[in-house]
Amino acid sequence: MTGYTMLRNGGVGNGGQPWMLRWSSRIRLTWLSFTLFIILVFFPLIAHYYLTTIDDADDAGKRIFGPRTGNELCEVKHVQDLCRIRESVSEELLQLEAKRQELNSEIAKLNLKIEACKKSIENAKQDLLQLKNVISQTEHSYKELMAQNQPKLSLPIRLLPDKDDVTFPLPKSNRNCRLHNCFDYSRCPLTSGFPVYVYNSDDYPFGSSLDPLIKQAFEATVRTNVYVTENANIACVYIILVGEMQEPVMPKPTELEQQLHSLPYWRTDGHNHLIINLSRKSETQNFIYNISTGRAMIAQSTFYDVQYRPGFDIVVSPLVHAMSEPNFLEIPPQVPVKRKYLFSFQGEKIESLRSSLQEVRSFEEEIEGNAPADYDDRIITTLKAVQDSKLDFVLVEFTCKNQPKASLPTEWALCGERDDRLELLKLSTFALIITPGDTHLVISAGCAMRLFEALEVGAIPVVLGEQVQLPYNDVIRWNEAALIIPKPRITEVHFLLRSISDNDLLAMRRQGRFLWETYFSTSDNVFSTVLAIIRTRIQIPAAPIREETAVEIPHRSGKAAGTDPNMADNGDLDLGPVETEPPYASPKYLRNFTLTAMDIYRNWNSAPGPFHLFPYTPFDPVLPSEAKFLGSGTGFRPIGGGAGGSGKEFQAALGGNVPREQFTVVMLTYEREEVLMNSLERLNGLPYLNKVVVVWNSPKLPSEDLLWPDIGVPIMVVRTEKNSLNNRFLPWDEIETEAILSIDDDAHLRHDEIMFGFRVWREARDRIVGFPGRYHAWDIPHQSWLYNSNYSCELSMVLTGAAFFHKYYAYLYSYVMPQAIRDMVDEYINCEDIAMNFLVSHLTRKPPIKVTSRWTFRCPGCPQALSHDDSHFHERHKCINFFVKVYGYMPLLYTQFRVDSVLFKTRLPHDKTKCFKFI
């Protein structure tokens, strides 16, 4: 206790011990700190040096702390995974290094190629520049040669003489009038367009005497005719209607003559005037016979030989259907070919010439040179003998049961009413027409009426008397629709009629039906035919047929069209170049001013091709091809095989006689924007495509925010006046190519299929060439026609939902085909494709051509169309039967011919027989 206290008090008690204790404590702390420093700093250094130097010994077994081998380390379980990762990374690094070196080598090679390509491009640019210079020089040389070898032409100066011109040379007699001496060509230059001025009959006293129906029909026709002008000073021809006149108020011949001579543009002699006297009845009188008409042309149904001037006057048909269209349902069918009676005749002769039969001369004596003046008695005897022989059913009556119609002297008067006569003709294969016994009467209204009624119901006319001048005889080949037999051959008539084959009978009946529909049936046809005859005689080209003006719907483009792999995958097939230049239209018709002079006597009626049964049309009733292609190309041109037979050149170009040609896609749509856009995108990159015309058939316009695809060619969206399937075949003025690809908005066709169809169509331009085939069949239990879409090796139709056809048929469908057919298409909203097949088969007498083995073409997943409706097929059955009534026969033809490419294979169900395939 005492010691402890001393320590705390600073060493009290022992003197120097406290200081020593303090010093020893400091010594121990310093030594301890130094020792720790030595251990912590120098010992690791010494250990590191030892570890790094001890393993340098040669004896591996003496290594204690040196690095061990991989296998020894991998014996440690938790290090094995790390070892495997290290090895894998090392291998990948080695591979990447090898690839890097390889890529560097390839980059070096490509750089060399790039340099070579740059040099080649420079050389190609120089060559191209040289070629352009050569082409420019060649074009310049060509223009110089053309300028040297071709004279400079200009349109002729149009001469318009004064209306009081009297210097025109007079013929010796009005009976000697022909175009060269009674017609003033100076008023009708080639470029005039054939203007026609029509007098208003109500402005003259004789106008009140005209038949009201004829006057009303004539005025309605004049209002719609393209040649009629109101400017009389530029007119080429002046027309005045003078008949048919009503008997009680008919003016005297002298009064009518004075009124005609007082016409403001009569010019003293009436040159370039046409006097039209239409007859609606068989008893129409020839009151112009006693009138001086000067140099005016006359068009009527009754002529005497002293009055008729061939090549100047015109024999016209009677105007029976003045203000009404013919009812096709009342017209009998053209088949069966043979009817109940072989021939029939009803008539009564009121006044006849003195018959040579009364002189009891033999037939042999007459042949020796003294022909009788009237063969009517012999005709009566011969026809009665045929009827009494019972060899054939014939009906001849030479006495009317009722009062006969009024007629000219020596003319056979008509018996009964018109409906009764038509019922008899419907039962007759042939209809006898006995010309007047007076040989000076070249044609009468009664004969023209008999001819009209026979053609209307399909009875083949048999005209006894070769001196007769039938209507429009200088432009119609009547021997293709009627038999014209001299009266002395009356004893051979029965033999001749029995010797005609059924095929010839049907051809004559079909041609007669065409003539009646085109030239006789309506007032518009009669007036257009008269004008066309005059225009053709003076060699003025027809006015271009009108085209439908396309009213474009504004739309936004800019959506880049993608490439459908299914559309673009064509294997090794080269479809042809995609046009990078502006669209190439088909060449325009180049024979506008020479056709009337060159082709006037060509036998269009019997020529093969599309004009076989449709040689003329109502809009151009004389020459068949004047107005057809004025806005639609060059017509049906034969396409050959080109200059050689190499496959590569044919594959890469169209070849043939028209090596460059394009087609236009016409797509009908109705409020299916998404389907439409997909279909348009599938056309991207399609070779030889000129443009796409989208017929927007809905009154509702497309969505304003709708982006239309950019497919490399123009897309024209056309607005229609109404929702009609007939709009598919309107001849839009935007269609500048002859070839039209009509396609539905949900059709799914590959590019190679479209190009193959286009190539086939170019070899058969007058036919429908397409993909989906159909056929018609006769339903025996119901005695009617049926529409069939089943798979078959035989077909008679190709649906226009995916088919090529010529623009020519668009004109005929819209302007020439009977309106009743288009009305039925609008009624059912169906059958427009059937109507087009009927039309083309009727014109060409050829079936369509099916390409590839595909039977359907709808895109997968598209909304259902109208064709999926249950009533669709029932309506098509009705359409076929109605169209047959309109045409009078079944124009569709069967075919087993199909054009396939080697890229396609036939796929048929197992229960179908094998089709013959033509490649």
Side-chain angles (χ1 to χ4, degrees), residues 146-155:
M146 294 296 292
Q148 295 176 1
N149 298 327
Q150 288 187 354
K152 294 182 179 180
L153 299 178
S154 61
L155 294 177

Side-chain angles (χ1 to χ4, degrees), residues 548 666-670 694-700 718-730 732 742 744 813-814 817 819-833 835 866:
E548 291 294 325
V666 176
M667 186 177 296
L668 188 72
T669 186
Y670 186 90
V694 177
V695 181
W696 191 264
N697 220 23
S698 171
K700 181 181 177 182
V718 178
R719 184 175 185 177
T720 58
E721 296 180 357
K722 63 176 182 178
N723 178 20
S724 173
L725 293 180
N726 293 315
N727 296 331
R728 179 194 296 272
F729 302 123
L730 284 174
W732 302 104
S742 175
D744 288 340
Y813 184 98
S814 302
M817 189 179 69
Q819 180 63 36
I821 296 180
R822 294 190 292 272
D823 292 341
M824 189 167 195
V825 171
D826 288 336
E827 178 183 357
Y828 285 155
I829 316 180
N830 199 344
C831 306
E832 85 286 355
D833 47 1
L866 295 175

